[in-house]
Amino acid sequence: MAQVISIQNQPDNALKAGVETLQKGQVVAMPTETVYGLAADATRPDAITAIYETKGRPRFNPLICHMASLEMALEYGEFDTLSLALAQKFWPGPLTLVVKLKAESPIHGLATAGLDTVGLRVPHGFAARLIAAFGRPLAAPSANSSGRISPTLAAHVEADLGPRIPLILDGGPAGIGVESTIVKVDNGQIHLLRPGGIATDEIEAFCHQSVIRPQKAGAIIEAPGMLASHYAPNATLRLEALEVSADEAVITFGDFKPKNLENAGYVLNLSAKGNLAEAAANLFAMMKQADKSGFNRMAITPIPQTGLGEAINDRLSRAAAPR
Ligand code: TXA
Ligand code: MG
């Protein structure tokens, strides 16, 4: 069973235990600003294998490699001008840049699934300190069994992976709540591989150019993790519900009341104020909560497609996809 260490109460101990566990080639669940990650040494095949095995993750799905700083990232990836500008603007933060892997990079091919590109991200806070103390990049997917809802609390990780991992570093609730935005620059154009914690329009405003959206979820396996069915709760999920029924757990947003809400079995609101950042932060925890409420059916009311709504709707459509 995993040892759980509170970063707030025992910062030195958390860092030390994290580094020691990573040095053994084992996995560590660590908080990031987006979701909890299942981290391991990105240069060691045994360590990366432990990530795939713990999650039950298909190995054709590459992992994001986390860096302590932009300087560190420059040692592993080749940055074109635009990728560099994006890194300078949005790092540390919830942006993953897919760039060309440096030829002599020690990142192991198991982490990149053999691609000649690599997804790089510099997270905020404790995760960056852990990477700096460890001194090598950390491959880290979300710390959940493959295909399930990502964890935004240490308790989510413990409930799912606790028996299978040695260490969980508890940093409290993940502030952003959805995974990083993933982009790839190709010929000066920015391609969105996954909407996430940085709103796409923020990137567009910064670069003064439009970001090219994926044609259709699941159409291109450019980000192989973008499988249609993902984030699956146990209950079925119905989207854009304007009307609900008594046998459903209902998730609402803002002040919109679907028809028949008063008869719904169970009701949660992602953000009563209608704030999309708050909704993103609550999304996965509330999906889990609704899933545990005892109903086999969940319904969610419409979420605007603006700002972080794009990432929220992306996760919801995968959660609702046929399994
Ligand atoms: O916020 C996040 O991004 C979290 C935290 C832990 O950092 N991590 C995360 O990792 O969401 P994961 O493994 O659940 O998602 C990684 C995504 C997958 O869709 C994968 O296919 C894509 O990144 N990816 C990684 N490397 C890639 C590459 N070289 N080219 C295209 N897509 C890549
Ligand atoms: Mg994931």
Side-chain angles (χ1 to χ4, degrees):
M1 199 65 194
Q3 184 191 7
V4 183
I5 304 179
S6 159
I7 293 163
Q8 204 194 337
N9 299 339
Q10 298 179 269
D12 298 342
N13 193 10
L15 199 64
K16 183 164 171 283
V19 169
E20 285 172 2
T21 308
L22 292 167
Q23 281 168 343
K24 287 188 230 161
Q26 296 179 328
V27 296
V28 172
M30 65 171 184
T32 84
E33 69 274 56
T34 56
V35 299
Y36 275 73
L38 189 67
D41 187 339
T43 68
R44 270 177 77 160
D46 57 338
I48 302 160
T49 299
I51 295 178
Y52 284 108
E53 282 180 353
T54 304
K55 282 182 63 88
R57 176 177 174 116
R59 300 192 188 209
F60 56 78
N61 188 2
L63 305 171
I64 294 171
C65 293
H66 296 71
M67 303 286 167
S69 63
L70 172 58
E71 292 63 43
M72 183 176 178
L74 292 171
E75 293 172 33
Y76 296 87
E78 301 277 6
F79 286 68
D80 57 279
T81 321
L82 191 48
S83 296
L84 186 62
L86 288 167
Q88 285 166 334
K89 166 75 179 170
F90 294 107
W91 283 354
L95 179 71
T96 294
L97 291 164
V98 173
V99 296
K100 236 177 130 32
L101 191 62
K102 276 209 166 158
E104 69 282 15
S105 170
I107 290 176
H108 197 273
L110 273 173
T112 57
L115 299 172
D116 59 2
T117 55
V118 63
L120 299 179
R121 173 161 110 79
V122 176
H124 265 296
F126 178 84
R129 290 201 294 283
L130 178 63
I131 299 161
F134 180 56
R136 281 200 287 278
L138 293 182
S142 49
N144 52 279
S145 300
S146 185
R148 311 307 292 199
I149 299 168
S150 301
T152 54
L153 289 174
H156 295 157
V157 183
E158 203 178 2
D160 182 4
L161 303 179
R164 281 181 274 156
I165 63 178
L167 181 64
I168 299 172
L169 301 175
D170 182 354
I176 291 176
V178 289
E179 296 85 346
S180 60
T181 301
I182 307 180
V183 299
K184 182 180 179 188
V185 174
D186 201 11
N187 277 321
Q189 294 203 296
I190 306 171
H191 295 262
L192 180 70
L193 303 187
R194 176 177 76 184
I198 289 184
T200 313
D201 47 22
E202 227 186 299
I203 297 174
E204 293 182 322
F206 171 68
C207 296
H208 306 291
Q209 69 181 73
S210 46
V211 167
I212 301 165
R213 308 303 211 266
Q215 265 123 353
K216 199 172 167 233
I220 335 169
I221 306 282
E222 168 94 63
M226 300 304 282
L227 305 173
S229 172
H230 211 83
Y231 307 98
N234 292 309
T236 61
L237 176 62
R238 195 163 65 82
L239 305 180
E240 302 192 21
L242 304 178
E243 183 171 357
V244 299
S245 60
D247 63 349
E248 287 180 310
V250 179
I251 300 179
T252 63
F253 172 76
D255 53 16
F256 176 72
K257 298 223 178 340
K259 243 172 100 185
N260 207 22
L261 183 65
E262 60 287 357
N263 297 322
Y266 188 82
V267 182
L268 294 169
N269 192 330
L270 287 175
S271 169
K273 308 193 276 264
N275 178 311
L276 287 164
E278 182 181 37
N282 285 331
L283 179 68
F284 292 145
M286 287 192 176
M287 279 170 69
K288 284 170 185 280
Q289 208 179 321
D291 205 19
K292 277 199 277 193
S293 68
F295 292 90
N296 295 325
R297 296 166 35 132
M298 279 161 60
I300 184 155
T301 62
I303 310 286
Q305 181 65 3
T306 52
L308 290 189
E310 187 179 2
I312 296 173
N313 284 319
D314 171 79
R315 305 306 186 267
L316 288 172
S317 66
R318 291 173 207 286
R323 317 270 160 84

